[in-house]
């Protein structure tokens, strides 16, 4: 049995989606290390899992399972005494959602917004079991004319929605019960974006495509969209994963198909460090609060890499390179220098099969990891020392 996806909620639940033959949703209480329930589904492909935005312990615990060209389902975690199980919920009878949904997102407290291939955006009120199409102004409609491209992402915003398509980004305001939706900002992207990585605590994204070796940084404020292109050294490099480096937002890290870990400065648009690993790397996770990177490998290892970035005063002489397990590169930013180190803090083999995806919980104290070729899920506790 393989696992296709994981998702934590804000409390104590971890959900995994298994692959062939049963495609089961599996529910664990990760704090107690107990498997609570599993149920077979009609899902037959890789799927995105996401819990609703409401963090109130008394709010319903709703899970969205979203598959491109497949079913869109909402599952409620129901408790009856000691018995906890999944219960598939009614979403809508709207045929356009059931037939042509493209991307969906939760918006606080528990609204579900769905973008379809026909360019319609629906708002689903789960509690009232109502579905309504947002009233789009003409300036929005012209950019959402059907058919909408497959790699188009719908995301929440302060008081509206964001649509990131392969070529443009739309920032929209949604107002009132009728959902009057107007265009606040439209930006043409500097390069096509087919993959999107979300920032943990603000409206920031990294976009990239496997066809080029370029990464695009997107920052969306309350009424504007800013983008910066970060160029790689070669157009043959393809990226496997990327994420923002914490706790500052001035750098992000990427893993490419040459098993190289790269760190980029958003401000200078330069590569400030590259570290190549002597094994095949499959996935990259960035810690939500600390400058720590988890690299998952094809032979079941977890490489925990601590990134240290220091600002140095100007020096007249060159700084000697570091050796050993640390790699250092100096990037000149006007009158200051940056010292960037990638220190291999820990290397652990958890199994012999590949580890190719993972997920942090909201507290950033635990990380779940797994692969698509085995039936095990590994939960690791992160301890600050």
């Amino acid at each position: 049995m393989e696992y296709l996806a994981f998702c934590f909620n804000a409390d104590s639940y971890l959900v995994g989606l298994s692959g062939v033959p049963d495609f089961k949703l599996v529910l664990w209480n990760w704090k107690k290390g107990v498997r609570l329930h599993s149920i077979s589904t009609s899902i037959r492909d890789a799927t995105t899992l996401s819990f609703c935005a409401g963090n109130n312990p008394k709010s319903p615990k709703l899970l969205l399972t979203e598959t491109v060209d497949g079913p869109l389902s909402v599952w409620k975690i129901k408790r009856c005494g000691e018995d906890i199980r999944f219960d598939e919920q009614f979403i809508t009878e709207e045929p356009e959602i059931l037939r042509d949904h493209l991307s969906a997102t939760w918006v606080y407290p528990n609204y579900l917004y769905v973008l379809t291939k026909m360019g319609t955006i629906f708002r689903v009120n789960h509690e009232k079991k109502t579905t309504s199409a947002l009233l789009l102004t003409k300036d929005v409609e012209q950019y959402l004319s059907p058919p909408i491209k497959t790699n188009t992402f719908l995301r929440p915003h302060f008081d509206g929605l964001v649509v990131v398509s392969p070529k443009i980004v739309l920032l929209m305001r949604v107002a009132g019960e009728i959902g009057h939706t107007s265009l606040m900002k439209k930006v043409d992207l500097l390069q096509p974006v087919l993959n999107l990585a979300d920032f943990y605590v603000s409206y920031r994204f990294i976009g990239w495509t496997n066809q080029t070796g370029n990464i695009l940084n997107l920052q969306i404020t309350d009424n504007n969209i800013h983008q910066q292109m970060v160029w790689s050294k070669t157009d043959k490099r393809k990226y496997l994963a990327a994420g923002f480096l914490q706790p500052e937002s001035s750098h992000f890290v990427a893993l490419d198909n040459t098993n190289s870990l790269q760190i980029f400065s958003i401000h200078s648009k330069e590569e400030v460090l590259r570290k190549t690993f002597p094994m095949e790397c499959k996935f990259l996770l960035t810690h939500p609060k600390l400058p720590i990177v988890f690299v998952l490998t094809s032979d079941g290892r977890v490489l925990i890499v601590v990134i240290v970035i220091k600002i140095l005063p100007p020096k007249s002489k060159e700084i000697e390179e570091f050796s050993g397990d640390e790699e250092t590169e100096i990037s000149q930013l006007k009158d200051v220098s940056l010292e960037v180190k990638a220190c291999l803090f820990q290397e652990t083999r958890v199994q012999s099969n590949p580890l190719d995806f993972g997920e942090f919980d909201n507290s950033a104290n635990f990380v779940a990891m797994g692969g698509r070729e085995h039936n095990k899920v590994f939960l690791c506790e992160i301890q600050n020392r």
Side-chain angles (χ1 to χ4, degrees), residues 106-125:
W106 293 107
V107 176
Y108 185 85
N110 55 11
Y111 288 120
L112 179 65
Y113 284 80
V114 183
L115 172 66
T116 72
K117 298 175 184 177
M118 303 307 295
T120 309
I121 301 177
F122 290 95
R123 179 167 56 190
V124 179
N125 187 320

Side-chain angles (χ1 to χ4, degrees), residues 28-100:
W28 293 274
N29 183 320
W30 56 263
K31 290 183 178 179
K32 297 180 179 180
V34 177
R35 177 169 167 166
L36 302 173
H37 182 59
S38 66
I39 185 171
S40 296
T41 71
S42 59
I43 299 169
R44 291 297 179 265
D45 203 351
T47 299
T48 301
L49 307 178
S50 60
F51 276 96
C52 66
N55 291 328
N56 188 330
K58 296 183 179 181
S59 64
K61 294 176 174 57
L62 302 174
L63 173 74
L64 173 68
T65 59
E66 179 186 1
T67 305
V68 177
D69 296 327
L72 179 72
S73 304
V74 172
W75 306 78
K76 184 177 182 179
I77 298 177
K78 297 186 68 173
R79 176 189 289 271
C80 182
E82 297 298 322
D83 186 36
I84 300 176
R85 61 181 55 250
F86 286 112
D87 183 25
E88 188 168 8
Q89 301 289 292
F90 168 81
I91 303 180
T92 180
E93 294 180 348
E94 172 58 49
E96 187 174 335
I97 293 180
L98 300 177
R99 182 186 66 246
D100 294 324

Side-chain angles (χ1 to χ4, degrees), residues 318-322 328 330:
E318 296 183 356
I319 302 176
E320 296 181 356
E321 294 185 355
F322 284 75
T328 303
I330 305 301

Side-chain angles (χ1 to χ4, degrees), residues 211-215 230-239 256-258 260 262 264 271 274:
Q211 278 71 42
T212 69
N214 303 328
I215 296 180
V230 179
W231 301 93
S232 70
K233 301 297 183 182
T234 173
D235 57 2
K236 296 182 180 180
R237 184 172 292 113
K238 297 180 180 180
Y239 290 99
D256 67 26
N257 61 341
T258 67
S260 293
Q262 297 171 268
F264 297 93
E271 178 189 285
R274 182 184 301 177

Side-chain angles (χ1 to χ4, degrees), residues 208-227:
W208 73 93
T209 173
N210 289 338
Q211 278 71 42
T212 69
N214 303 328
I215 296 180
L216 188 65
N217 171 55
L218 298 173
Q219 181 172 359
I220 301 175
T221 61
D222 56 348
N223 58 7
N224 207 349
I225 302 169
H226 305 279
Q227 62 175 328

Side-chain angles (χ1 to χ4, degrees), residues 151 153 164-166 169 189-199 204-210 212-219 226-231 239 241-244 252-254:
N151 297 89
F153 306 92
V164 181
S165 75
V169 179
L189 293 176
L190 298 174
Q191 74 159 37
V193 168
L194 301 181
N195 305 277
L196 199 68
D198 296 50
F199 191 55
R204 300 190 60 179
F205 308 94
I206 297 173
W208 73 93
T209 173
N210 289 338
T212 69
N214 303 328
I215 296 180
L216 188 65
N217 171 55
L218 298 173
Q219 181 172 359
H226 305 279
Q227 62 175 328
Q228 289 179 317
M229 180 71 79
V230 179
W231 301 93
Y239 290 99
F244 286 91
F252 64 87
V253 61

Side-chain angles (χ1 to χ4, degrees), residues 286-299:
T286 54
H287 194 282
K289 297 179 180 180
L290 301 172
I292 300 176
V293 176
F294 288 69
V295 179
L296 311 184
T297 72
S298 62
D299 58 356

